[in-house]
Amino acid sequence: MEKKTERGSFSGQFGFIMAAAGSAVGLGNIWRFPYLAAKDGGGIFLLVYLVLALTFGFTLLTTEIAIGRKTTQSPLTAYGAIHPKWNGIGIIACLVPTIILPYYCSIGGWVLKYLSLFLTGHSADAVTDGYFNNYITGNIEPIICMLIYFAITAFIVFCGVEKGIEKFSKILMPILIVLIIGISIYSLTLKYTDENGITRTGLQGLKVYLIPDFSEMTLKKFLVVVMDAMGQLFFSISVAMGIMVAYGSYAKKETNLMQSVNRIELFDTLIALIAGMMIVPAVFTFSGKEGMTAGPGLVFVSLPKVFNEMGSIGKIAGLIFFLILSFAAVTSSVSVMEAIVSSIMDKFGLSRHKSSLIVIVYTLITAVIVCFGYNILYFEVTLPNGTTAQILDIFDYISNYCMMPIVAFLTSVIIGWIVKPDVIIEEVTQGKYKFSRKKLYIVMIKYIVPLMLLILFLQATGIIKLS
């Protein structure tokens, strides 16, 4: 009990759901989800994503939260508590957020920079050709923005579980949801006639976004969509990076885990869908289908041009959008940092403040290196999946495309075949709560999840080429 008090805990089920949903709702939902949906045929991607969220995502989310609550340990030590010979999973799971945090804070700094442009009335600057590239290749400004962003993140984690993470999430999550719904509704009212006299509307963009078009779909293209949607789930629900294990360890024993998982799933999926509804119709209205192929640059290159085309109302819409993106980014980076801090606390018995200071020093040094990766430390390498990369891309590739599938795969093996699914089922049904999808869970964790993760890993490493 003494150790539990020192680690802290969420005050109740609502606090746990808000914090976990806050972690899940991040840049992955608002930045990555819409551009993948646009790239993969809109409605087809949505359909595949929903099926995977209710099966693949549900299985991994339930497993990690249950492991955390059962062991009351952080990811570094929780897997060893489940089975002593499988402690190595915890080491990899802890390394994932350690790699992610520095470059996530760098991207968070980009978001703050764009927010500042709209706050100070300089949004027109973001529309000029090469603005984004000129900004990230600067020597000083990206570091300053990263430092401000990381200071906000570190302060919240420093304050602890209930007074920091939970309190912050309870305030920001409702605001975030209201803002996303508001700007999404506005996107549907847009209408624009281009220089060729072609008129497009937000409702037409919504149709492109929601209705699946199988006319040009081949088996190969469909498999690419499945792999993209599965990779997106890692970002969306914060699994395979130790976060949900850490948050699960702070959940009280009387918390209804099945109900919590269902609500986290609902929050995450709805916000991802609405985020797409906020971005895709707007980009389609002003740029057509060609504008929807901007990829990762959709938020920082295409959207500022869309807001500029809207006139004076676009400045307000852009301000609200980057405020939403800032909120979402911080709730996620807080959870990433917490996964590392809690691991240090549990492994070495250090206080939260000392553990946080260690993470702060490491992150500051590494994040500066990431920022310099666009200027004085710039280089290019070709990754096994065929993409050209520099420092940030390498960090992203190692953590998200290699280590996270490995963590999830090994987790499915240890739970599905070594200690058996009953370990998770017993934790979920503690307090006589129902496990409504128990049969689905058993089939998924033993057979389907490990097979899908193996394919995802082989694709990411370039062994299997789908595109």
Side-chain angles (χ1 to χ4, degrees):
M1 289 302 294
E2 186 179 344
K3 188 173 187 180
K4 182 74 175 176
T5 304
E6 186 183 333
R7 295 179 82 250
S9 64
F10 294 118
S11 62
Q13 185 166 329
F14 179 72
F16 167 60
I17 292 170
M18 284 295 100
S23 169
V25 178
L27 290 176
N29 290 67
I30 299 176
W31 169 49
R32 198 171 186 267
F33 186 93
Y35 86 70
L36 281 177
K39 179 180 84 73
D40 289 333
I44 298 173
F45 178 83
L46 297 189
L47 183 62
V48 171
Y49 181 86
L50 284 173
V51 172
L52 287 177
L54 293 171
T55 53
F56 179 85
F58 149 76
T59 303
L60 291 176
L61 187 61
T62 303
T63 301
E64 293 198 3
I65 289 175
I67 288 174
R69 195 180 73 167
K70 181 176 181 63
T71 62
T72 64
Q73 294 288 301
S74 63
L76 184 60
T77 52
Y79 287 92
I82 291 290
H83 195 292
K85 292 184 179 179
W86 288 73
N87 189 52
I89 305 176
I91 296 172
I92 305 172
C94 186
L95 283 174
V96 172
T98 304
I99 295 171
I100 289 175
L101 185 60
Y103 79 77
Y104 200 101
C105 288
S106 298
I107 298 173
W110 302 351
V111 177
L112 288 189
K113 170 61 180 177
Y114 275 71
L115 176 62
S116 72
L117 290 176
F118 282 88
L119 275 171
T120 57
H122 292 88
S123 58
D125 294 349
V127 184
T128 57
D129 290 337
Y131 180 83
F132 177 64
N133 187 62
N134 290 336
Y135 165 68
I136 64 173
T137 55
N139 289 331
I140 304 298
E141 200 172 8
I143 294 176
I144 293 173
C145 292
M146 177 275 293
L147 289 175
I148 295 171
Y149 178 87
F150 183 53
I152 298 169
T153 300
F155 174 76
I156 296 165
V157 174
F158 207 75
C159 288
V161 178
E162 188 174 343
K163 293 181 179 179
I165 299 168
E166 180 179 339
K167 185 178 180 181
F168 176 78
S169 300
K170 280 181 176 179
I171 295 170
L172 277 197
M173 283 306 295
I175 297 173
L176 185 68
I177 292 167
V178 170
L179 290 176
I180 288 177
I181 292 173
I183 199 169
S184 297
I185 293 171
Y186 175 72
S187 288
L188 301 182
T189 67
L190 296 172
K191 186 176 182 180
Y192 177 73
T193 302
D194 63 21
E195 56 188 15
N196 297 318
I198 299 172
T199 300
R200 291 182 295 269
T201 67
L203 288 174
Q204 288 174 335
L206 180 66
K207 184 178 178 181
V208 172
Y209 176 57
L210 292 180
I211 299 176
D213 180 9
F214 293 98
S215 59
E216 297 181 5
M217 184 58 58
T218 63
L219 178 60
K220 190 174 182 179
K221 285 182 180 179
F222 182 73
L223 289 174
V224 170
V225 174
V226 172
M227 290 299 108
D228 280 350
M230 190 160 58
Q232 172 60 25
L233 273 168
F234 285 113
F235 288 91
S236 287
I237 58 176
S238 296
V239 293
M241 54 183 83
I243 292 169
M244 288 304 169
V245 175
Y247 277 17
S249 74
Y250 298 134
K252 293 184 176 181
K253 288 295 183 182
E254 57 266 29
T255 297
N256 184 335
L257 286 193
M258 193 70 259
Q259 189 180 77
S260 299
V261 167
N262 289 339
R263 288 178 179 175
I264 294 165
E265 259 190 311
L266 180 65
F267 264 112
D268 170 72
T269 305
L270 278 178
I271 289 181
L273 291 174
I274 297 171
M277 198 169 80
M278 175 174 65
I279 293 172
V280 175
V283 173
F284 174 83
T285 300
F286 290 97
S287 307
K289 286 191 174 181
E290 295 76 19
M292 293 167 58
T293 60
L298 191 69
V299 165
F300 297 108
V301 179
S302 297
L303 272 179
K305 293 180 179 179
V306 168
F307 295 134
N308 188 61
E309 291 284 351
M310 292 180 187
S312 57
I313 194 71
K315 294 177 181 179
I316 299 171
L319 175 61
I320 295 172
F321 172 77
F322 282 105
L323 190 63
I324 290 169
L325 199 59
S326 299
F327 285 176
V330 171
T331 55
S332 289
S333 59
V334 163
S335 65
V336 174
M337 183 173 175
E338 178 60 27
I340 311 169
V341 169
S342 64
S343 292
I344 295 173
M345 289 169 62
D346 288 343
K347 181 66 176 178
F348 302 105
L350 297 178
S351 68
R352 170 169 292 275
H353 289 172
K354 287 181 180 178
S355 301
S356 297
L357 285 172
I358 292 170
V359 178
I360 287 169
V361 172
Y362 155 77
T363 304
L364 286 176
I365 294 170
T366 313
V368 168
I369 293 172
V370 171
C371 290
F372 282 154
Y374 288 100
N375 42 71
I376 61 176
L377 297 179
Y378 184 81
F379 62 87
E380 290 185 357
V381 295
T382 301
L383 298 175
N385 62 358
T387 59
T388 302
Q390 39 65 50
I391 294 176
L392 188 149
D393 299 316
I394 293 171
F395 276 36
D396 179 66
Y397 175 77
I398 292 171
S399 58
N400 293 314
Y401 292 92
C402 297
M403 296 178 74
M404 284 165 63
I406 290 172
V407 170
F409 175 78
L410 292 176
T411 299
S412 65
V413 171
I414 185 177
I415 298 300
W417 298 96
I418 308 302
V419 299
K420 307 299 183 185
D422 284 345
V423 170
I424 301 300
I425 293 168
E426 287 170 9
E427 187 63 30
V428 172
T429 55
Q430 190 173 107
K432 297 183 179 178
Y433 291 118
K434 289 184 178 180
F435 193 159
S436 55
R437 289 180 272 177
K438 183 171 73 172
K439 291 181 180 179
L440 171 67
Y441 176 82
I442 293 171
V443 173
M444 290 297 299
I445 197 70
K446 292 188 74 170
Y447 306 106
I448 299 175
V449 167
L451 177 61
M452 292 175 73
L453 287 166
L454 182 61
I455 295 171
L456 181 64
F457 177 76
L458 292 175
Q459 183 208 18
T461 52
I463 296 172
I464 292 178
K465 296 185 185 296
L466 296 178
S467 59

